[in-house]
């Protein structure tokens, strides 16, 4: 189906991943309708070649109207990806479990009894919890006892148990030149501020925005139904190594780490409980199933190449 031009509707189209996803679909000649909540977001979608529609993502009537007006073939749900990062301090995650619940329920209601060929729901590889070499068949495990992560699993189940043609993509932690949170680390480096890196031995799976978007394009074009796929680059790495490599790529020395022995009460003043829970995990995930089925490989096979591309893209503004 790669030569067929599709009508794609994307939720969260003005987000960092959304912008890159809109750009890649448009570059291939697909019609893209990007859903956003405000005028600034709409302008962002249009700047990448998409048709912008302002909607309330928790309102099934508004979502349905937009999907029907676009005569959508594929709907890509990127709203969950706000929480798919270790780069944020998590301060804006408050209540995101309610957002996940409301937006997923609204989207499922909106696409019911329409002619869409596929709903792509994006999720997280960190939901495997502490495990090595997880595959798509590995049971999910809630990190800590956080309601956001509980709801992430619940919404996955809602999608897979629905009668809607759908698939789920579990993505590694996202990063790239679009990341405003990553840019904030440059300011921290300049000020000499330490950061909480978590245990050096705890590994996580990462994914460049460009590679995440290219995987979404592949799935939309081939439209596998009832499938779950892990999408990651080839090199799991600790958060400490990731941020330290970022500093080295910028030509800076290794930044200081906040010590692990800091009391939990003091630690909460630095990072949110959600980020602490994620940094306690050591998760490695395989993406062979997706690579073999789709012939896909990441443009940035490890964080090293991805961070170099990020700094190169920023140019002098990263100095």
């Amino acid at each position: 189906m790669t030569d067929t031009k599709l009508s794609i509707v994307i939720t969260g189209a003005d987000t960092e991943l959304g912008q890159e996803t809109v750009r890649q679909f448009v570059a291939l000649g697909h019609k893209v309708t990007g859903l956003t909540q405000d005028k600034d977001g709409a302008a962002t979608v249009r700047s990448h070649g998409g048709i912008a529609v302002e909607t309330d993502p928790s309102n099934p009537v508004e979502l349905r109207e937009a999907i029907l007006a676009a005569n959508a073939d594929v709907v890509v749900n990127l709203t969950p990806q706000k929480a798919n990062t270790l780069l944020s301090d998590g301060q804006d995650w408050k209540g995101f479990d309610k957002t996940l619940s409301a937006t997923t329920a609204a989207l499922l209601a909106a696409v019911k009894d329409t002619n869409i060929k596929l709903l792509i729901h994006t999720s997280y590889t960190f939901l495997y919890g502490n495990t090595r070499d997880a595959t798509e068949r590995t049971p999910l495990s809630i990190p800590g006892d956080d309601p956001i992560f509980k709801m992430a699993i619940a919404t996955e189940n809602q999608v897979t148990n629905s009668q809607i043609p759908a698939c789920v993509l579990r993505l590694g932690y996202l990063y790239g030149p679009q990341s405003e949170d990553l840019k904030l680390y440059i300011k921290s480096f300049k000020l000499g501020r330490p950061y909480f890196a978590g245990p050096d031995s705890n590994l996580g799976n990462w994914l460049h925005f460009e590679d995440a978007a290219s995987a979404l394009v592949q799935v939309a074009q081939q439209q596998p139904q009832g499938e779950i796929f892990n999408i990651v680059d080839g090199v799991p790495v600790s958060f400490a190594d990731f941020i330290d490599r970022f500093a080295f790529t910028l030509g800076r020395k290794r930044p200081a780490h906040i010590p692990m022995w800091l009391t939990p009460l003091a630690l909460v003043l630095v990072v949110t409980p959600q980020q602490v829970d994620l940094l306690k995990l050591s998760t490695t995930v395989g993406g062979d199933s997706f690579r073999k089925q789709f012939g896909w490989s990441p443009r940035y096979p490890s964080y090293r190449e991805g961070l170099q591309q990020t700094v190169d893209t920023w140019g002098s503004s990263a100095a």
Side-chain angles (χ1 to χ4, degrees):
M1 298 192 64
T2 55
D3 293 331
T4 302
K5 301 308 177 187
L6 302 170
S7 176
I8 309 292
V9 171
I10 301 174
T11 70
D14 59 332
T15 60
E16 292 164 351
L17 176 57
Q19 294 176 52
E20 178 61 22
T21 304
V22 170
R23 187 191 69 77
Q24 290 196 26
F25 274 116
V26 169
L28 291 172
H30 300 298
K31 174 188 172 185
V32 179
T33 301
L35 306 187
T36 179
Q37 296 185 67
D38 53 42
K39 288 181 171 56
D40 289 342
T44 298
V45 170
R46 286 192 290 269
S47 72
H48 292 281
I51 301 165
V53 177
E54 293 179 46
T55 61
D56 177 352
S58 62
N59 186 320
V61 174
E62 290 186 13
L63 291 173
R64 186 177 181 83
E65 289 176 352
I67 290 165
L68 291 176
N71 193 24
D73 296 301
V74 177
V75 176
V76 182
N77 184 20
L78 298 186
T79 300
Q81 292 306 298
K82 178 180 180 180
N84 192 17
T85 179
L86 279 180
L87 301 172
S88 168
D89 61 8
Q91 297 298 333
D92 58 350
W93 288 8
K94 186 176 181 179
F96 192 62
D97 55 314
K98 296 179 176 63
T99 298
L100 271 177
S101 177
T103 57
T104 304
L107 188 57
L108 289 174
V111 299
K112 186 178 180 181
D113 298 324
T114 64
N115 293 323
I116 71 162
K117 300 178 177 67
L118 189 70
L119 167 64
I120 303 174
H121 178 76
T122 56
S123 187
Y124 324 99
T125 57
F126 63 69
L127 292 178
Y128 290 111
N130 282 302
T131 188
R132 294 184 61 185
D133 302 324
T135 71
E136 289 83 355
R137 295 183 179 181
T138 302
L140 300 182
S141 174
I142 300 168
D145 193 40
D146 192 276
I148 292 175
F149 305 140
K150 289 181 180 179
M151 186 55 65
I153 294 176
T155 53
E156 260 204 38
N157 291 334
Q158 282 182 284
V159 172
T160 56
N161 292 331
S162 72
Q163 300 302 309
I164 295 160
C167 72
V168 173
L169 300 191
R170 295 173 182 152
L171 309 182
Y173 293 122
L174 297 169
Y175 76 100
Q178 298 88 343
S179 176
E180 293 299 323
D181 289 319
L182 191 57
K183 290 178 182 177
L184 293 176
Y185 274 89
I186 300 176
K187 295 182 180 180
S188 293
F189 297 158
K190 290 178 179 179
L191 294 172
R193 292 174 178 168
Y195 73 98
F196 182 66
D200 290 343
S201 58
N202 285 8
L203 304 180
N205 304 275
W206 295 77
L207 186 66
H208 193 284
F209 284 120
E210 287 186 21
D211 290 326
S214 71
L216 288 163
V217 169
Q218 289 270 15
V219 171
Q221 292 181 153
Q222 299 193 38
Q223 299 173 10
Q225 296 182 13
E227 300 273 12
I228 297 174
F229 295 107
N230 297 327
I231 315 294
V232 295
D233 68 20
V235 181
V237 63
S238 71
F239 186 56
D241 285 343
F242 183 92
I243 294 299
D244 289 351
R245 168 64 64 169
F246 179 49
F248 297 152
T249 305
L250 290 164
R252 295 185 172 274
K253 65 180 182 180
R254 180 180 181 271
H257 297 182
I258 294 172
M260 291 293 298
W261 48 259
L262 197 67
T263 66
L265 182 60
L267 196 58
V268 168
L269 299 175
V270 182
V271 293
T272 59
Q274 292 92 347
Q275 190 177 32
V276 173
D277 283 340
L278 292 179
L279 288 171
K280 288 178 180 177
L281 299 178
S282 186
T283 311
T284 62
V285 172
D288 289 346
S289 176
F290 184 76
R291 297 186 189 206
K292 290 177 181 177
Q293 183 165 333
F294 290 85
W296 177 89
S297 61
R299 182 175 182 181
Y300 306 101
S302 85
Y303 66 106
R304 300 180 189 91
E305 294 90 348
L307 287 174
Q308 186 65 60
Q309 182 268 353
T310 296
V311 172
D312 291 345
T313 299
W314 288 339
S316 58
S317 64

